[in-house]
Amino acid sequence: QVKLQFEVGVNQKPSLFKAISYRSQVVAGMMYYIKVQVAATEYVHLKVLQGLPPEDECPALVSFETGKTRDDPLICD
């Protein structure tokens, strides 16, 4: 659900966008840290906030890190 937000942030459309792994943290809603494959050997880490309803029903891309590999630990700050 945050693919378009990511595409706008990097100003390109990746050929692939497949979630590989994630972890979550309870905040005022839920914070998700997601490892996404965007090319054959290229990955990004996304930090996504899913706020509490009814105000924040749609997830928001908080930040992202590009240039990651499959073996990089899933850490997003």
Side-chain angles (χ1 to χ4, degrees):
Q1 292 182 0
V2 295
K3 181 180 178 185
L4 181 60
Q5 294 173 56
F6 174 74
E7 290 173 353
V8 169
V10 295
N11 197 27
Q12 64 181 356
K13 192 170 191 162
S15 59
L16 180 65
F17 199 81
K18 180 180 178 183
I20 301 299
S21 63
Y22 79 97
R23 64 185 177 90
S24 59
Q25 175 184 10
V26 176
V27 291
M30 188 68 76
M31 188 72 71
Y32 294 97
Y33 303 89
I34 308 166
K35 181 181 291 191
V36 176
Q37 184 177 9
V38 293
T41 60
E42 189 178 340
Y43 295 79
V44 296
H45 292 177
L46 307 180
K47 183 177 181 181
V48 177
L49 175 64
Q50 176 70 61
L52 296 172
E55 295 85 15
D56 293 323
E57 292 181 8
C58 295
L61 181 62
V62 175
S63 64
F64 60 87
E65 296 178 9
T66 59
K68 299 295 183 177
T69 67
R70 185 173 183 91
D71 297 327
D72 285 335
L74 184 54
I75 299 173
C76 257
D77 292 320

